[in-house]
Amino acid sequence: MQNNSHIEPSAFNLTPSTSIKACLFDLDGVLVDTAVYHYKAWKRLANTMGFDFTEEQNEQLKGVSRVESLNKILVWGGVDKTDAEKEELASLKNSWYVDMITKMTPAEVLPGTVDFLTAIHKAGYKLALGSASKNSGIILEKTDLAHFFDEIVDGNMVTKSKPDPEVFLKGAELLGFAPDECVVFEDAVAGVEAAKRGGMKAIGIGEKSVLSQADVVVSGLDKLTVKDLEAL
């Protein structure tokens, strides 16, 4: 595991010489992989209602809010619930999910993440998180990544889910940069679409055949360097 030593922002007074000045990161599937915890919690919830939930269906929930995810699952299961019941179900799923992620450690950070964040931070880029997750703070704390970010925008601060660009536009605004000065790192089709709709560059983390709208696609942050940002 890479060294996660704390970085003092004041130690670096550099300004990137390229048009890209800020980096906005999705959380799940880019920095850490919490999909397995979402899957286990949603599957448990589905099972309590008498139907199953598959890993393939879980893939379709990437970047989707908790409420919208629940609505999709209920449709798949052919189950109708009132708004009050949906709220209870979403809270129940979240309690199971939070119980699991509170046991996360820095060892669960995806390969290359710490090295890449360290390098771009040192090069003068500003960093923000742009995630649909309402539990981003817990995850960043448990994985020792919080200190890298100048701003954190999560599901508690926005009302529209990706592919709406709200979460990324909010991040750009808080960092003080125009959309065309920002690049988004995303593993979901909806996230890449949100970045492009917001007028930002997008680096896809995953398969080129899936993330075809992205400007660049790599398998992980371990495949990126500062020079890749300078080339955008």
Side-chain angles (χ1 to χ4, degrees):
M1 188 63 200
Q2 302 100 324
N3 182 13
N4 258 17
S5 58
H6 182 78
I7 293 178
E8 292 293 342
S10 60
F12 307 112
N13 296 310
L14 301 175
T15 300
S17 58
T18 61
S19 59
I20 299 298
K21 309 294 184 186
C23 300
L24 307 175
F25 291 84
D26 178 44
L27 180 60
D28 297 344
V30 176
L31 305 175
V32 298
D33 189 2
T34 60
V36 63
Y37 302 127
H38 282 296
Y39 172 62
K40 288 180 178 179
W42 283 127
K43 183 177 177 67
R44 182 177 175 184
L45 190 71
N47 292 164
T48 64
M49 291 185 284
F51 61 93
D52 204 8
F53 174 69
T54 68
E55 291 187 47
E56 289 74 23
Q57 288 170 328
N58 192 57
E59 284 295 307
Q60 297 181 48
L61 303 184
K62 280 186 175 180
V64 179
S65 72
R66 189 185 310 158
V67 172
E68 289 188 25
S69 294
L70 176 60
N71 286 333
K72 286 179 177 288
I73 290 170
L74 291 175
V75 169
W76 290 330
V79 175
D80 288 324
K81 295 290 183 181
T82 65
D83 288 343
E85 288 172 330
K86 288 180 181 180
E87 190 173 329
E88 289 181 7
L89 288 170
S91 295
L92 182 59
K93 179 268 177 181
N94 189 57
S95 68
W96 292 334
Y97 173 71
V98 170
D99 184 58
M100 287 185 278
I101 64 172
T102 53
K103 299 178 177 66
M104 290 182 74
T105 72
E108 294 180 75
V109 174
L110 291 173
T113 296
V114 172
D115 286 344
F116 183 64
L117 294 181
T118 300
I120 62 175
H121 202 299
K122 187 173 182 178
Y125 292 91
K126 294 298 183 182
L127 280 64
L129 189 78
S131 171
S133 173
K134 292 187 176 182
N135 300 297
S136 298
I138 297 173
I139 296 170
L140 291 179
E141 177 189 349
K142 293 297 180 180
T143 56
D144 198 20
L145 294 176
H147 63 274
F148 283 110
F149 294 93
D150 300 287
E151 299 290 347
I152 295 175
V153 183
D154 62 16
N156 297 298
M157 300 174 64
V158 295
T159 59
K160 300 172 184 175
S161 297
K162 304 167 187 176
D164 189 282
E166 181 186 16
V167 68
F168 296 134
L169 292 175
K170 174 75 74 173
E173 179 186 356
L174 291 174
L175 290 176
F177 293 102
D180 63 2
E181 295 178 299
C182 301
V183 59
V184 169
F185 297 78
E186 261 285 357
D187 73 317
V189 173
V192 171
E193 184 180 338
K196 304 306 287 186
R197 284 173 60 179
M200 304 176 184
K201 296 282 189 180
I203 294 181
I205 306 298
E207 299 291 334
K208 290 183 180 180
S209 59
V210 177
L211 304 174
S212 57
Q213 279 190 293
D215 297 280
V216 175
V217 180
V218 293
S219 60
L221 295 181
D222 56 333
K223 302 298 191 292
L224 293 171
T225 67
V226 172
K227 288 186 177 180
D228 293 309
L229 299 188
E230 295 171 349
L232 288 173

